Amino acid sequence: MQDHGRNPADESRNADAALQDIIQGFQNFHQNVYPQQQTLFKRLAKAQQPHVMVITCADSRIALELITQSAPGTLFVTRNVGNVVPPYGQMNGGVSTAIEYAVLSLGVKHIIICGHSDCGAMKAVLNPASLDGMPTVRAWLRHAEVARSVVETNCGCAGHDTLGVLTEENVVAQLDHLRTHPSVAARLASGQLNIHGWVYDIESCTIRAYDAAKRRFLPLDGNDVPSATPQPRYANA
């Protein structure tokens, strides 16, 4: 549906200005920031050795390096609509490839699935009609249908934030999907890999993390770190 309140000329000017801001930001980085970190970038030019992979949403408001204050080369990040992880074998595309590469080639020790508040993908899961005309998005978000089913069947969300509950359940569902990947399953079983489920709140800049033992999300406050990692079965083998 066209929004007749929008002025196409104004939108074009705003878009051009946004691009110019990005270019100016790069120029500022190259002239003022890069010289101070030149040693780091020279080292990164030859290899990467991140210990953490993050699978998060493509939403423009999720700036992981800023949120976590992480330097270049620290996080191996893959982003997609809805922070989805297709079960292994169903759609071995970009996400599956990134997981396999991160685990087997880079040897990451932690994988974080990070959802967020006000997620457009989760809104679409609650309102499938909003996806009319977007068949590939609709097909992709079928991997979040398990979360919707869990919420519809068990939540009784009257008086609760249905979107917030669905966002958390989607993270849990994608953690389950993640464990179907052979590389992940093998490293989990041997205790060589840890998995985590986070939900980032944009307004408050807080994170809630899934605790598998307590079966709920808890604040990531720097004390005890909630873990979604199952007990390894072959750690002492």
Side-chain angles (χ1 to χ4, degrees):
M1 180 182 296
Q2 184 176 357
D3 185 348
H4 295 286
R6 293 180 177 179
N7 185 320
D10 287 344
E11 287 196 354
S12 179
R13 282 192 293 270
N14 290 339
D16 290 344
L19 177 60
Q20 191 58 40
D21 286 344
I22 291 171
I23 294 170
Q24 290 177 352
F26 163 71
Q27 291 172 341
N28 178 64
F29 166 80
H30 193 261
Q31 294 169 10
N32 301 312
V33 179
Y34 168 72
Q36 301 173 24
Q37 302 189 43
Q38 198 166 1
T39 301
L40 170 63
F41 285 101
K42 283 186 176 180
R43 175 171 59 82
L44 291 175
K46 296 179 174 62
Q48 64 168 323
Q49 194 176 12
H51 296 299
V52 179
M53 178 183 192
V54 184
I55 301 168
T56 193
C57 189
D59 193 295
S60 63
R61 298 167 292 179
I62 313 305
L64 280 171
E65 286 78 6
L66 175 64
I67 295 165
T68 63
Q69 292 293 280
S70 297
T74 304
L75 304 178
F76 186 76
V77 181
T78 184
R79 299 168 68 119
N80 65 73
V81 173
N83 42 271
V84 161
V85 178
Y88 185 78
Q90 286 195 16
M91 187 183 291
N92 290 335
V95 178
S96 301
T97 302
I99 291 168
E100 188 171 87
Y101 181 78
V103 173
L104 298 182
S105 181
L106 298 178
V108 298
K109 302 302 181 185
H110 299 271
I111 299 179
I112 301 166
I113 296 178
C114 184
H116 66 94
S117 61
D118 194 49
C119 180
M122 295 302 99
K123 290 179 180 178
V125 171
L126 290 173
N127 179 24
S130 66
L131 296 174
D132 289 349
M134 291 185 280
T136 58
V137 178
R138 184 189 297 275
W140 179 251
L141 289 179
R142 288 185 187 135
H143 297 298
E145 280 295 303
V146 60
R148 183 188 61 79
S149 180
V150 168
V151 171
E152 284 186 353
T153 304
N154 299 287
C155 176
C157 283
H160 296 278
D161 175 13
T162 306
L163 178 60
V165 174
L166 177 65
T167 300
E168 291 186 351
E169 287 298 336
N170 182 57
V171 168
V172 175
Q174 305 313 320
L175 286 168
D176 290 341
H177 292 172
L178 179 63
R179 292 170 62 182
T180 67
H181 289 250
S183 59
V184 172
R187 298 290 172 100
L188 286 174
S190 64
Q192 296 175 281
L193 180 67
N194 296 280
I195 59 175
H196 312 268
W198 291 2
V199 174
Y200 168 66
D201 184 81
I202 295 169
E203 183 174 1
S204 65
C205 288
T206 55
I207 291 174
R208 290 170 57 80
Y210 184 63
D211 190 306
K214 296 179 180 178
R215 295 180 295 177
R216 58 194 176 101
F217 282 79
L218 300 171
L220 191 66
D221 56 12
N223 297 320
D224 293 333
V225 178
S227 175
T229 308
Q231 286 294 320
R233 298 192 304 280
Y234 296 97
N236 298 319

